[in-house]
PDB file of all heavy atoms in Angstrom:
ATOM      1  N   GLY A 713     141.739 160.491 106.783  1.00 95.00           N
ATOM      2  CA  GLY A 713     140.685 161.407 106.382  1.00 95.00           C
ATOM      3  C   GLY A 713     139.360 160.676 106.232  1.00 95.00           C
ATOM      4  O   GLY A 713     139.261 159.479 106.507  1.00 95.00           O
ATOM      5  N   PRO A 714     138.363 161.389 105.755  1.00 94.00           N
ATOM      6  CA  PRO A 714     137.038 160.768 105.613  1.00 94.00           C
ATOM      7  C   PRO A 714     137.016 159.602 104.619  1.00 94.00           C
ATOM      8  O   PRO A 714     136.177 158.710 104.735  1.00 94.00           O
ATOM      9  CB  PRO A 714     136.165 161.916 105.105  1.00 94.00           C
ATOM     10  CG  PRO A 714     136.901 163.157 105.466  1.00 94.00           C
ATOM     11  CD  PRO A 714     138.359 162.815 105.432  1.00 94.00           C
ATOM     12  N   ARG A 715     137.951 159.618 103.676  1.00 93.00           N
ATOM     13  CA  ARG A 715     137.939 158.579 102.640  1.00 93.00           C
ATOM     14  C   ARG A 715     139.181 157.701 102.695  1.00 93.00           C
ATOM     15  O   ARG A 715     139.486 157.007 101.739  1.00 93.00           O
ATOM     16  CB  ARG A 715     137.828 159.225 101.261  1.00 93.00           C
ATOM     17  CG  ARG A 715     136.587 160.097 101.063  1.00 93.00           C
ATOM     18  CD  ARG A 715     135.342 159.274 100.949  1.00 93.00           C
ATOM     19  NE  ARG A 715     135.374 158.430  99.758  1.00 93.00           N
ATOM     20  CZ  ARG A 715     134.598 157.347  99.611  1.00 93.00           C
ATOM     21  NH1 ARG A 715     133.777 156.975 100.586  1.00 93.00           N
ATOM     22  NH2 ARG A 715     134.648 156.633  98.494  1.00 93.00           N
ATOM     23  N   GLY A 716     139.912 157.765 103.791  1.00 96.00           N
ATOM     24  CA  GLY A 716     141.104 156.943 103.923  1.00 96.00           C
ATOM     25  C   GLY A 716     142.314 157.791 104.266  1.00 96.00           C
ATOM     26  O   GLY A 716     142.188 158.952 104.677  1.00 96.00           O
ATOM     27  N   PRO A 717     143.506 157.240 104.082  1.00 97.00           N
ATOM     28  CA  PRO A 717     144.712 157.969 104.465  1.00 97.00           C
ATOM     29  C   PRO A 717     144.914 159.206 103.604  1.00 97.00           C
ATOM     30  O   PRO A 717     144.629 159.185 102.393  1.00 97.00           O
ATOM     31  CB  PRO A 717     145.836 156.956 104.233  1.00 97.00           C
ATOM     32  CG  PRO A 717     145.281 155.980 103.262  1.00 97.00           C
ATOM     33  CD  PRO A 717     143.820 155.913 103.532  1.00 97.00           C
ATOM     34  N   ILE A 718     145.415 160.256 104.230  1.00 98.00           N
ATOM     35  CA  ILE A 718     145.641 161.509 103.533  1.00 98.00           C
ATOM     36  C   ILE A 718     146.984 162.068 103.971  1.00 98.00           C
ATOM     37  O   ILE A 718     147.348 161.969 105.149  1.00 98.00           O
ATOM     38  CB  ILE A 718     144.473 162.486 103.805  1.00 98.00           C
ATOM     39  CG1 ILE A 718     144.581 163.729 102.943  1.00 98.00           C
ATOM     40  CG2 ILE A 718     144.352 162.849 105.278  1.00 98.00           C
ATOM     41  CD1 ILE A 718     143.260 164.452 102.790  1.00 98.00           C
ATOM     42  N   VAL A 719     147.743 162.615 103.032  1.00 98.00           N
ATOM     43  CA  VAL A 719     149.125 163.023 103.296  1.00 98.00           C
ATOM     44  C   VAL A 719     149.307 164.490 102.890  1.00 98.00           C
ATOM     45  O   VAL A 719     148.948 164.872 101.768  1.00 98.00           O
ATOM     46  CB  VAL A 719     150.120 162.143 102.508  1.00 98.00           C
ATOM     47  CG1 VAL A 719     151.563 162.518 102.851  1.00 98.00           C
ATOM     48  CG2 VAL A 719     149.878 160.662 102.792  1.00 98.00           C
ATOM     49  N   GLN A 720     149.891 165.258 103.778  1.00 98.00           N
ATOM     50  CA  GLN A 720     150.223 166.641 103.432  1.00 98.00           C
ATOM     51  C   GLN A 720     151.592 166.643 102.759  1.00 98.00           C
ATOM     52  O   GLN A 720     152.559 166.080 103.314  1.00 98.00           O
ATOM     53  CB  GLN A 720     150.237 167.531 104.670  1.00 98.00           C
ATOM     54  CG  GLN A 720     150.384 169.009 104.322  1.00 98.00           C
ATOM     55  CD  GLN A 720     150.265 169.916 105.528  1.00 98.00           C
ATOM     56  OE1 GLN A 720     150.524 169.499 106.647  1.00 98.00           O
ATOM     57  NE2 GLN A 720     149.884 171.160 105.298  1.00 98.00           N
ATOM     58  N   GLN A 721     151.684 167.256 101.584  1.00 97.00           N
ATOM     59  CA  GLN A 721     152.866 167.079 100.759  1.00 97.00           C
ATOM     60  C   GLN A 721     153.402 168.408 100.227  1.00 97.00           C
ATOM     61  O   GLN A 721     152.664 169.392 100.113  1.00 97.00           O
ATOM     62  CB  GLN A 721     152.526 166.159  99.575  1.00 97.00           C
ATOM     63  CG  GLN A 721     151.976 164.809 100.011  1.00 97.00           C
ATOM     64  CD  GLN A 721     151.669 163.890  98.867  1.00 97.00           C
ATOM     65  OE1 GLN A 721     152.416 163.821  97.889  1.00 97.00           O
ATOM     66  NE2 GLN A 721     150.569 163.163  98.970  1.00 97.00           N
ATOM     67  N   GLU A 722     154.681 168.382  99.904  1.00 96.00           N
ATOM     68  CA  GLU A 722     155.341 169.552  99.303  1.00 96.00           C
ATOM     69  C   GLU A 722     156.004 169.137  97.990  1.00 96.00           C
ATOM     70  O   GLU A 722     156.416 167.970  97.858  1.00 96.00           O
ATOM     71  CB  GLU A 722     156.426 170.108 100.241  1.00 96.00           C
ATOM     72  CG  GLU A 722     155.906 170.713 101.535  1.00 96.00           C
ATOM     73  CD  GLU A 722     155.775 169.670 102.622  1.00 96.00           C
ATOM     74  OE1 GLU A 722     156.609 168.754 102.687  1.00 96.00           O
ATOM     75  OE2 GLU A 722     154.823 169.753 103.407  1.00 96.00           O
ATOM     76  N   PRO A 723     156.119 170.034  97.050  1.00 96.00           N
ATOM     77  CA  PRO A 723     155.986 171.490  97.145  1.00 96.00           C
ATOM     78  C   PRO A 723     154.565 172.035  97.022  1.00 96.00           C
ATOM     79  O   PRO A 723     154.367 173.232  97.144  1.00 96.00           O
ATOM     80  CB  PRO A 723     156.850 171.987  95.975  1.00 96.00           C
ATOM     81  CG  PRO A 723     156.771 170.903  94.974  1.00 96.00           C
ATOM     82  CD  PRO A 723     156.702 169.628  95.758  1.00 96.00           C
ATOM     83  N   SER A 724     153.584 171.159  96.768  1.00 97.00           N
ATOM     84  CA  SER A 724     152.232 171.679  96.568  1.00 97.00           C
ATOM     85  C   SER A 724     151.654 172.306  97.825  1.00 97.00           C
ATOM     86  O   SER A 724     150.787 173.170  97.744  1.00 97.00           O
ATOM     87  CB  SER A 724     151.290 170.571  96.088  1.00 97.00           C
ATOM     88  OG  SER A 724     151.635 170.160  94.786  1.00 97.00           O
TER      89      SER A 724
END
Side-chain angles (χ1 to χ4, degrees):
Chain A
R715 302 288 296 160
I718 188 159
V719 183
Q720 188 174 25
Q721 303 181 40
E722 293 88 36
S724 292

